[in-house]
Amino acid sequence: MNILFYLTPKSEVMYLFDDYSVRQAMEKMEYHKYSAVPIINHAGAYVGTLTEGDILWELKRRQTVDLHEIEDIKIRTLQRKRDNQPVNVNCNIEDLIMTSMNQNFVPVIDDNGIFIGIVTRKNIIEYCYNQCKSLV
């Protein structure tokens, strides 16, 4: 099965550029109510995943909650606990399912590492549910 059927395209995904400030990231994440978002560079390549926890740990490490101070901190400089592992657009559904087990979304990249969208865990669970239902 082609994973593109389950893809939410980049044009519909909230993502951050790696040169955004921590404050910009916080504001976008708050507005969209997301706790984890993909990070890309200006060439479009997937860089990693930023989580609320990554931001909180950075603020603790710097011992600050001053929003003006964090305007100068670029998210590319943050230590991230873990990045959601991407899959290639040509991967099979089994690889997609295995990758999704430990992340709430799976970034999808093309052969050049360019971010093209995500597949949410909800969509993967729905696929699995429909597969199980069809066996009954």
Side-chain angles (χ1 to χ4, degrees):
M1 165 147 300
N2 189 333
I3 70 166
L4 287 176
F5 183 72
Y6 299 98
L7 181 79
T8 302
K10 178 181 173 181
S11 62
E12 298 175 22
V13 173
M14 196 282 279
Y15 55 87
L16 304 169
F17 286 108
D18 64 349
D19 64 350
Y20 278 9
S21 71
V22 172
R23 181 175 180 167
Q24 287 173 302
M26 288 173 62
E27 289 172 352
K28 285 191 79 143
M29 291 172 78
E30 178 184 28
Y31 177 80
H32 292 280
K33 297 179 177 31
Y34 292 137
S35 59
V37 294
I39 305 169
I40 66 173
N41 63 25
H42 284 285
Y46 175 70
V47 173
T49 303
L50 184 68
T51 67
E52 289 175 330
D54 297 332
I55 293 171
L56 289 171
W57 285 113
E58 184 67 21
L59 296 176
K60 180 182 184 281
R61 188 178 71 74
R62 292 178 182 261
Q63 298 182 348
T64 187
V65 290
D66 182 345
L67 291 179
H68 295 292
E69 184 177 322
I70 61 174
E71 287 177 346
D72 297 328
I73 304 168
K74 302 295 182 198
I75 61 172
R76 75 168 63 104
T77 66
L78 299 185
Q79 295 177 4
R80 297 186 305 271
K81 181 178 179 187
R82 118 178 118 229
D83 290 319
N84 287 12
Q85 294 304 305
V87 296
N88 184 280
V89 67
N90 298 312
C91 82
N92 60 44
I93 195 74
E94 291 82 11
D95 290 338
L96 180 66
I97 292 168
M98 294 303 294
T99 304
S100 74
M101 291 176 132
N102 296 315
Q103 36 193 79
N104 53 359
F105 66 88
V106 179
V108 180
I109 57 173
D110 68 11
D111 291 335
N112 296 316
I114 301 301
F115 176 74
I116 61 170
I118 64 170
V119 178
T120 64
R121 191 179 326 176
K122 177 184 176 187
N123 287 345
I124 295 166
I125 292 170
E126 184 179 339
Y127 165 81
C128 292
Y129 172 77
N130 289 333
Q131 290 298 109
C132 290
K133 208 165 78 171
S134 71
L135 297 175
V136 177

